[in-house]
Amino acid sequence: MTLKGERIDKGTVIAVRGSVVDVRFEGDLPNVRHMVAAEPAAVRSAPRPGGSDAEPTADPASDPSGGVQLEVMAHLDERTVRCLAFDPTQGMARGDEVAASGAPIEVPVGPAVLGRTFDVFGRPIDGRGPVEAIAMRPIYQPPIDLERQALGTEILPTGIKAIDLLAPLERGGKAGLFGGAGVGKTVLISELIHNMAARHRGVSLFCGIGERSREAEELVRDVRDAGVLDHTVLVFGQMNEPPGARFRVGHTALTMAEYFRDDEQRDVLLLIDNVFRFVQAGAEVSGLLGRLSSRMGYQPTMATELAELQERITSTATSAITSVQAVYVPADDFTDPAVVHAFGHLSASVVLSRDRAIQGFYPAMDPLRSTSALLGPDTVGERHDRIAREARSTLASFEDLKDIIAMLGFEELSEEDQRVVNRARRLERYLTQPFQVTEAFTGQEGRAVALDELLSDCERILADELADVPEQDLYMIGTLQEIGR
């Protein structure tokens, strides 16, 4: 990150408090967000293989990419900076030498990143050797100018019936998958990669923020097995990494995505799992830096930090970054500040319900709480809009009648209400779907359904053409053709 021959400012560690390190410099202070590297004295003094004649460990002043990586977060006075460690600080002590890099984190961009897996620094972690990048770019970039942003709206079909009917995604927009623990957010994201990457003309980029190591390994395997790894980039800031790495990995992924959008004019499908972990990492960083917490313990800068990430996800006249983001809902509380702030950036919100997951409706999408700004006649067309509104109305009527059925029984309903209930129960089961990524667990072959077939099938169900078909026959199928209708 430092040019050959460029002067490198050196400093000395004066305090280490967990992941927070204070450094005193004799010369000019490095800028905020610039990287510095420290080599713990314990590492420098450790015996080296080969005896005393062995090559000494590189001094961080001459190799600022080595050692413990620190990012400058604040200037405390004219000689001291406060840094956040991106690596474990065990072994660091006062007096350790630090070298400034003169630049923020820079990551590789170019066609060579396709098919590879990276960490927050853009270092390959897949064991396949170095990456032949065409350039290194800083991870902090401004959003594109307003005059360059695309104004039109266009639907991006996913092949998942419930989403395409009731919460269609926008090409170049941002969609959120909201749900508590264990309702299927990661499975749904994996299915989106499988369905969309194969027919997507651009690049798929997955960003794992606070991912479990097991989930990361499974995702890499799923992408490889689906045959789309050569068109996919994976970036991980895993759960066991320091909060600084989890806090910045989203910017690393966006920098790589922006290269394909701006330099190669290719569409990018950006999948983020999980935005709540980004906010959570920001809260950890804020606490480590000694800032006073705001509402419900979150950092006072949460809105700014989330907007800085989200506003970079947008479209130009020639290409687009379309984002699908999982958002963990703590304790299923949709009034949580992190969830509320995430809602404001999205054009579509897919809400996953624990009640529906318990009933076996997968994907466990709540049809009454999931929304999309595209669901209108001017965007999706008169037919799609009409069918979606009629389906939502039918399901809402069924929800209102559930209490009456529980207290008095189905037979006490009027004939019209009975028809509504039968219609809604068939529609609920039709909107379930076997996934490609769960074939190994369910034994059912995955299905992806085209939008025209989906609308035709829903139209027939709402017209009571399948009133004589047992509702269980509609459960976990693709289209009505599979049951001979």
Side-chain angles (χ1 to χ4, degrees), residues 1 29-37 70-73 75 82-84 100-105 140:
M1 289 187 286
L29 294 184
N31 293 336
V32 173
R33 290 190 169 180
H34 278 200
M35 298 301 294
V36 298
L70 312 168
E71 182 180 87
V72 177
M73 301 298 291
H75 290 182
R82 178 155 291 167
C83 304
L84 184 70
S101 69
I105 297 174
Y140 303 110

Side-chain angles (χ1 to χ4, degrees), residues 6-86:
E6 184 179 348
R7 184 176 67 111
I8 299 174
D9 291 316
K10 297 182 180 180
T12 305
V13 173
I14 60 173
V16 181
R17 294 182 299 277
S19 293
V20 176
V21 180
D22 291 346
V23 181
R24 179 167 294 162
F25 283 87
E26 298 302 326
D28 296 335
L29 294 184
N31 293 336
V32 173
R33 290 190 169 180
H34 278 200
M35 298 301 294
V36 298
E39 184 179 15
V43 175
R44 291 199 305 272
S45 60
R48 300 183 179 92
S52 59
D53 295 333
E55 196 68 26
T57 302
D59 186 341
S62 61
D63 181 19
S65 64
V68 178
Q69 295 297 309
L70 312 168
E71 182 180 87
V72 177
M73 301 298 291
H75 290 182
L76 301 184
D77 55 42
E78 66 273 8
R79 295 180 59 191
T80 311
V81 297
R82 178 155 291 167
C83 304
L84 184 70
F86 282 33

Side-chain angles (χ1 to χ4, degrees), residues 134-327:
I134 64 171
M136 301 289 290
R137 290 189 179 171
I139 66 170
Y140 303 110
Q141 301 288 344
I144 61 174
D145 298 332
L146 285 175
E147 60 266 21
R148 290 181 55 208
Q149 295 186 18
L151 300 178
T153 55
E154 180 183 342
I155 289 180
L156 188 67
T158 66
I160 298 174
K161 294 184 287 187
I163 292 178
D164 287 346
L165 176 66
L166 299 171
L169 307 189
E170 177 187 3
R171 175 182 174 269
K174 296 182 278 286
L177 306 179
F178 293 84
V183 295
K185 297 183 299 298
T186 301
V187 170
L188 198 52
I189 284 230
S190 300
E191 184 70 7
L192 285 169
I193 292 178
H194 186 283
N195 285 1
M196 300 174 71
R199 55 181 163 177
H200 196 61
R201 291 175 296 175
V203 173
S204 294
L205 198 151
F206 179 87
C207 175
I209 305 176
E211 282 279 283
R212 300 173 184 88
S213 298
R214 168 186 57 79
E215 292 176 336
E217 191 276 332
E218 287 175 355
L219 183 74
V220 172
R221 182 161 21 92
D222 288 341
V223 171
R224 182 177 60 246
D225 292 346
V228 295
L229 183 61
D230 290 343
H231 303 284
T232 306
V233 185
L234 300 105
V235 184
F236 290 103
Q238 295 179 176
M239 190 175 282
N240 64 325
E241 297 187 42
R246 289 180 272 123
F247 191 44
R248 298 307 191 197
V249 70
H251 293 281
T252 296
L254 271 169
T255 300
M256 295 181 177
E258 287 168 342
Y259 164 81
F260 290 105
R261 180 194 65 190
D262 299 334
D263 292 50
E264 295 197 2
Q265 280 79 51
R266 298 175 68 180
D267 283 357
V268 180
L269 176 63
L270 175 64
L271 301 117
I272 302 176
D273 188 5
N274 181 312
V275 170
F276 177 79
R277 302 296 180 200
F278 167 79
V279 175
Q280 195 175 46
E284 290 182 55
V285 168
S286 181
L288 288 169
L289 296 175
R291 297 171 184 159
L292 292 176
S293 60
S294 183
R295 183 183 169 199
M296 292 182 66
Y298 288 107
Q299 64 272 36
T301 54
M302 176 174 62
T304 301
E305 292 163 357
L306 191 58
E308 185 182 22
L309 186 76
Q310 298 282 5
E311 289 303 304
R312 292 173 64 181
I313 304 172
T314 186
S315 304
T316 65
T318 56
S319 51
I321 299 178
T322 304
S323 177
V324 180
Q325 309 170 11
V327 184

